[in-house]
Amino acid sequence: MARRQVRVVGAMLQNEQGRYLITQRPPTASLPLLWEFPGGRVEEGEEDAEALAREIQEEMGVDVDVLAQAMHTHHEYPNYDIDFRVFHCRLSRPGDDIQHLRVHDHRWVTLEEMSNYRFPDADAKTLAKLLDLDS
């Protein structure tokens, strides 16, 4: 039986103060209460940027401009594989309030502060790559 492949997109969303947005998964979700880059699954027929903008609108009620791809990683979970692509993004309207529609919580953190939060393995791989990037 072939392993299930899941394509996921995430936002490296930075504010004017140079902090990045991370969100906490709901307590009822898979990998409950872990922190992650906001985003989600790419649905059949969707482009990555379209899926990322849709997911962020559904999860937090804000619109984003999806910019260049920041990185790509692959992670094997016990029952499925993740193809995870992270894109630089910015809020379309920086003054908009982030709502918790389908996230438990959110934080604006520096790259260094991210080590204080527990991330799913695929996000942790991406975080490790981010911390090695030159500013």
Side-chain angles (χ1 to χ4, degrees), residues 75-100:
H75 184 76
E76 294 178 8
Y77 283 103
N79 299 319
Y80 56 93
D81 295 341
I82 294 284
D83 176 1
F84 186 44
R85 295 167 193 264
V86 177
F87 292 83
H88 292 285
C89 294
R90 67 174 171 244
L91 290 173
S92 299
R93 292 177 300 282
D96 284 359
D97 289 331
I98 292 175
Q99 304 168 56
H100 297 163

Side-chain angles (χ1 to χ4, degrees), residues 39-41 43 46 50-64 99-103:
R41 291 184 186 190
E43 295 180 1
E46 263 185 327
E50 177 186 9
L52 187 52
R54 174 188 52 75
E55 284 284 345
I56 290 175
Q57 176 55 235
E58 289 173 0
E59 292 178 355
M60 297 177 288
V62 294
D63 293 322
V64 295
Q99 304 168 56
H100 297 163
L101 303 175
R102 288 185 15 208
V103 299

